[in-house]
Amino acid sequence: MKIVRTDRELKMPIADAALRDLGHELILLPDGIAEADLIREVADADLLLMCYTPVTRKVIEAAPKLRGIVKYGVGIDAIDIPAAIEHKIPVVNIPEYAEETVAEGAFALMIALAKRLPALGRVMQSEGWAWPEPAWIGRDLAESTVGIIGLGKIGRSMARMAGAGFRARVVAYNPGMPAEEMAVHGAEKCETLQELLEQSDFVTIHAVLNDSTRHLIGEAELKAMKPTAALINVSRGAIIDEVALIKALDEGWIAGAGLDVFSQEPLALENHPLSALFGRANVILTPHLTFYTEEAMARLEAETLERCRELLDGRPVQIKSQDPRLRAQVSGVQFSG
């Protein structure tokens, strides 16, 4: 069978080799491939694997043989799910491979901001030493307040690390989750986002991107934060109004930010809406790689291969995600978790 995998820059050597060893034709396409070129490749494809490349209605309608779409990752915003459902093409993601991994990445950003590591690193590189003065003073995580937006599996890992690991007070905003359930995971429930923002020394985002969370953190929310607080985002860039974030950093509404995700990726040093974020001592930028560890990639490849085998064998594909968009599927799927 013909399998098309986009975003070949993300190496999947084990999965790629296994699919070829099974006798399938595997076509690897680059990130940023034009829609017309993707349409041409999927016209006779049996399976489509993607990570970042948009899979639009036009792409789906051009692929009459397609048995399924596998997102080798978590977020499914780039896939036209209604179109796939309409054409009875199962869509599956890999939601569990990097839960602890991404939480660790968020925590690394948080502690680096707390300890002023970017600023200290720069002065050490340029001057060789730094004496204790107010410009370099850090903050303790112990007894600080860490606010978590979205208490799913990644958010829960973050809560455990901050609370049990570093003795921080943990508060969380997750509409619909009872306070009793939050308490089990070491977090106090905030009834409103405003309440969380006003209290927190560190705000870390672990929510999915949908219509209700797009620009959830805008100008009003940034102004509600403490001027000494830092904002961390490892979820989806568009959850933050990034224009408002630049203004908040310029005008000192917040003390800093650690960002692994952006609404327009990749970033660029020039001619990008977020180019102004580069070169700031109070901002850490990482290239959407908090998921990228040896252990997480091994899990991702193994589970991606399992989902591919199910689809290629004509079996129902296993959906582990609780995302209602995936749970709305009725053709060629089975649900677990």
Side-chain angles (χ1 to χ4, degrees), residues 112-262:
L113 289 167
K115 306 305 179 184
R116 302 298 305 276
L117 296 186
L120 286 170
R122 290 180 187 187
V123 73
M124 287 295 289
Q125 290 295 326
S126 63
E127 300 181 27
W129 195 250
W131 294 102
E133 57 184 79
W136 317 123
I137 196 164
R139 301 194 61 183
D140 288 345
L141 294 183
E143 299 184 3
S144 68
T145 298
V146 174
I148 299 176
I149 300 174
L151 204 63
K153 292 183 178 179
I154 297 174
R156 293 169 191 173
S157 293
M158 190 72 176
R160 188 193 70 249
M161 294 174 192
F166 279 74
R167 292 196 307 105
R169 175 189 175 221
V170 178
V171 298
Y173 175 68
N174 196 120
M177 181 178 288
E180 296 78 12
E181 184 178 352
M182 287 192 176
V184 170
H185 299 291
E188 302 172 29
K189 181 178 176 67
C190 289
E191 296 293 344
T192 66
L193 180 58
Q194 180 89 2
E195 181 185 348
L196 178 142
L197 296 171
E198 290 174 350
Q199 297 180 53
S200 299
D201 299 299
F202 304 92
V203 175
T204 179
I205 300 172
H206 302 284
V208 298
L209 177 63
N210 54 38
D211 291 341
S212 67
T213 61
R214 188 176 300 275
H215 286 190
L216 181 69
I217 304 297
E219 186 167 317
E221 290 73 26
L222 291 162
K223 285 182 175 178
M225 292 175 63
K226 296 179 181 181
T228 55
L231 178 65
I232 295 97
N233 188 14
V234 297
S235 294
R236 287 294 179 268
I239 294 175
I240 298 175
D241 180 340
E242 293 162 329
V243 173
L245 176 61
I246 293 174
K247 187 176 180 181
L249 292 164
D250 286 344
E251 299 185 7
W253 305 349
I254 63 174
L259 308 172
D260 185 56
V261 290
F262 313 92

Side-chain angles (χ1 to χ4, degrees), residues 26 33 50 85 98 104 109 117 119 128 135 170 173 205 218 238 242 252-253 256 267 272 277 323 337:
L26 179 63
I33 187 170
M50 58 76 67
I85 292 174
E104 288 180 4
L109 291 173
L117 296 186
V170 178
Y173 175 68
I205 300 172
E242 293 162 329
W253 305 349
L267 290 188
H272 186 284
L277 290 176
D323 192 305

